């Protein structure tokens, strides 16, 4: 293990869509979803829609079949495998749910590359209905993050703090983190990254817009990406940089990593290389 922990958001980061919307649309529940959306929190809404789909005769197999068709960029798959093979500890931190995430990762043979999946728990009840619960039980009380960008069921910043404490307690001392995400919920963890860490926001998505409002609030270097190719190149470049800076001997590298350019930094923000507008 290299001492590098890579934390991935899932929706619109590992896969290129929102898994909740993908299932809702794929199983014909879009009208119901849109009608209920103003009336309840998102996490509760997805659980409610799963109940209605079950009542309509949709099975777990039907849900999994739709999930297996969710688009994932081959470059993202390659990046996950390459980072793992370079010795990184890979984690998922997502506001989706365990059933959706595991179904997709299993389909692509990726589940074993991740040491941990942090997300909203799911279970199948006695009737065979998929139940989705909140990561944080907001009915019992708030999670206590006052930032204003975290949903009531999950503060990713708090979860990231726990991941860091757990990873460093497992041995090897200080870890360097690379965080990849796209949504508003990924802003809180970006503020908790240390100076030696890296934030990889998806350019043009909510977390990128929030970061751009005041980049000086982040201690970590910010390296944006816009598509799977950018993600792969940027992530492997940063992993390689950490390995060099930490004095670890690099294993044989894929030629794509060897040829990656150095990122220039200007005014505390790296100049995006090869990022499409």
């Amino acid at each position: 293990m290299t001492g590098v922990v890579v934390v991935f958001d899932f929706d619109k980061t590992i896969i290129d869509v929102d898994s909740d919307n993908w299932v809702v649309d794929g199983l014909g529940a879009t009208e119901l979803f849109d009608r209920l959306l103003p009336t309840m929190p998102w996490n509760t809404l997805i659980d409610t829609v799963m109940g209605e789909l079950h009542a309509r005769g949709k099975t777990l197999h039907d849900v999994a079949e739709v999930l297996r068709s969710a688009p994932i960029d081959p470059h993202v798959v390659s990046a996950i495998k390459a980072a793992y093979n370079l010795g990184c500890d890979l984690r998922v931190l997502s506001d989706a749910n365990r059933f959706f995430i595991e179904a997709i990762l299993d389909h692509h043979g990726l589940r074993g590359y991740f040491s941990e999946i942090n997300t909203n728990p799911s279970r199948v009840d006695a009737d065979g209905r998929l139940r989705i619960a909140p990561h944080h039980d907001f009915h019992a009380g708030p999670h206590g993050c006052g930032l204003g960008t975290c949903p009531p069921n999950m503060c990713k910043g708090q979860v990231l703090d726990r991941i860091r404490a757990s990873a460093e307690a497992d041995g090897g001392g200080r870890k360097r983190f690379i965080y990849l995400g796209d949504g508003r919920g990924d802003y809180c963890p970006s503020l908790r990254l240390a100076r030696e860490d890296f934030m990889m926001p998806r350019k043009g998505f909510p977390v990128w817009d929030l970061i751009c409002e005041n980049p000086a609030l982040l201690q970590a270097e910010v390296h944006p990406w816009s598509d799977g190719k950018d993600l792969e190149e940027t992530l492997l470049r940063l992993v390689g940089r950490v390995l060099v800076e930490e004095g670890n001997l690099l294993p044989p590298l894929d030629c794509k990593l060897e040829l990656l350019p150095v990122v220039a930094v200007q005014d505390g923000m790296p100049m995006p290389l090869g990022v499409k507008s």
Side-chain angles (χ1 to χ4, degrees), residues 151-273:
N153 61 294
M154 175 181 279
C155 169
K156 287 188 175 182
Q158 293 175 352
V159 180
L160 182 66
D161 287 346
R162 185 199 59 75
I163 292 173
R164 185 186 295 276
S166 172
E168 294 180 350
D170 287 342
R174 180 178 61 90
K175 306 292 183 182
R176 295 184 66 176
F177 276 69
I178 303 173
Y179 188 99
L180 300 89
D182 73 284
R184 284 176 57 83
D186 298 306
Y187 184 58
C188 184
S190 77
L191 299 177
R192 302 190 187 215
L193 293 170
R195 188 173 301 276
E196 64 270 16
D197 297 330
F198 302 99
M199 176 62 190
M200 287 181 55
R202 189 166 190 181
K203 193 173 183 182
F205 283 71
V207 71
W208 170 251
D209 295 336
L210 287 166
I211 289 171
C212 288
E213 288 178 5
N214 191 350
L217 293 177
L218 276 71
Q219 297 185 68
E221 285 185 20
V222 178
H223 295 258
W225 58 281
S226 62
D227 57 24
K229 186 173 184 292
D230 289 335
L231 183 154
E232 181 183 26
E233 292 180 351
T234 304
L235 177 60
L236 297 187
R237 181 167 56 244
L238 293 177
V239 171
R241 173 177 158 185
V242 172
L243 291 174
V244 171
E245 290 177 353
E246 297 298 316
N248 293 318
L249 186 64
L250 285 174
L253 299 181
D254 185 278
C255 62
K256 289 182 289 187
L257 180 55
E258 291 176 328
L259 296 174
L260 291 178
V262 175
V263 175
V265 178
Q266 183 177 28
D267 298 329
M269 293 279 282
M271 299 293 290
L273 299 179

